[in-house]
Amino acid sequence: MLLLTPGPTPVPEEIRMAMSEPTIHHRTPEFEEIFAKTRVLLKELFNMPEVLMLASTGTGAMEATVLNLCKSKALTINAGKFGERFGKICESYGKDYTELKYAWDTPANVEEIIDTIKKDEKIDAIFIQVCESAGGLRHPVEEIAKKLKEIRPNIMVIADGITAVGVEKVDSTYIDALISGSQKALMLPPGLALIGLSQSAIKVIEEGGVGYYLNLKTELKQQQKNTTAYTAATTLIIGLKAMLEKLHVEGFDKLYNDTKKRSLATKKALKEIGLNIFPKSPADAMSAVYDKEAARIRTILKTKYNVNIAGGQDHVKTTLFRINHMGLVANYETAWTLNAIEMVLEEIGRRPYDGTANAIFTKEITK
Ligand SMILES: *Cc1c(COP(=O)(O)O)cnc(C)c1O
């Protein structure tokens, strides 16, 4: 079965091989060297002065930033499941927060955010997705971050880049914490979370440090010495190093360019066969299609064409499907998926099959 969901993504064979070596102890010079090399590559990927690795899924990193980077009040941006999660984390700790809510296809409004901040002295941190995976939506995070820093220089900008880091070059100039996870663009098994940090974030963490397992002050101190506070996720870190080294050969920019090209070609092909791209500002990470028969299309794709793409959640559970572009997806995989979708459209009586989707995709991708 072709796995083309926006997380988890398939793990390339050579990375699976790298992770199949016998277990090594985490408190050894051997592992510290692996850890050190991984840190160097991660800092380049994030383009930030510090990066932490946590043995948790992405949500653990989200929780850690809420705990460690917001002292008085949070502003959370909810345009989908993952934005909603930041609010729920605040709530679970009894942390004061304001939420700005948007429809799942609508990016955050920069002016509204600025106004909210101006009116509320207490807000010292904003939490937002770079790409809100629920609808494949790209928020204008860089613009928001820049404008916020102009009016409140000390505000912490926390960006959940789980479906953006390794997908596109996120401009981290005004971002204080950029979150990623292993099972999306980095094509690893789930279980490792990453947080890129700015100098200001490092300062806030060093002066504070909240929580026990998710205490970033404790982690920062250890990881700067190339070790971890608790047992490191050794196998995943070995895999991460292998993956970053693999990507580094041709450069991260090549990965971003390939992903963007594949994403744009897919969206063009989907539109050409009469389908509707859901978000008003689509992200490169995935193509989300809004269709009354999305669930039916997905079922036929799975049972007849061996393609597994994702559906939606909540109110768009049966009316959305999402095709992954993150990671090293081969062009023939996306071409086959698009071709299969076009076949399904004929089967459900939408339009006669004429090979348009595949033709458009192939033409665009080989330009
Ligand atoms: C997948 C994802 C997460 C994290 O989910 P986990 O299941 O905890 O790894 C967070 N934010 C976004 C935008 C995601 O796509």
Side-chain angles (χ1 to χ4, degrees), residues 73-91 96-102 112-113 116 120 123 127:
K73 185 174 180 182
L75 174 63
T76 65
I77 307 302
N78 173 0
K81 271 289 195 215
F82 295 102
E84 179 188 48
R85 188 168 299 177
F86 274 127
K88 285 187 169 172
I89 294 169
C90 290
E91 196 144 351
D96 196 6
Y97 76 103
T98 292
E99 178 186 81
L100 286 178
K101 216 168 167 179
Y102 298 93
E112 193 180 1
I113 292 174
T116 309
D120 197 338
I123 297 172
F127 295 85

Side-chain angles (χ1 to χ4, degrees), residues 94 147 165:
K147 291 198 168 150
V165 175

Side-chain angles (χ1 to χ4, degrees), residues 58-125:
T59 305
M62 293 169 74
E63 187 163 332
T65 56
V66 170
L67 278 175
N68 289 270
L69 294 174
C70 177
K71 305 271 178 255
S72 63
K73 185 174 180 182
L75 174 63
T76 65
I77 307 302
N78 173 0
K81 271 289 195 215
F82 295 102
E84 179 188 48
R85 188 168 299 177
F86 274 127
K88 285 187 169 172
I89 294 169
C90 290
E91 196 144 351
S92 75
Y93 284 102
K95 190 172 291 265
D96 196 6
Y97 76 103
T98 292
E99 178 186 81
L100 286 178
K101 216 168 167 179
Y102 298 93
W104 284 23
D105 64 349
T106 306
N109 183 311
V110 183
E111 296 315 315
E112 193 180 1
I113 292 174
I114 302 294
D115 276 356
T116 309
I117 296 288
K118 277 184 179 163
K119 282 186 200 133
D120 197 338
E121 285 290 315
K122 265 190 87 185
I123 297 172
D124 63 348

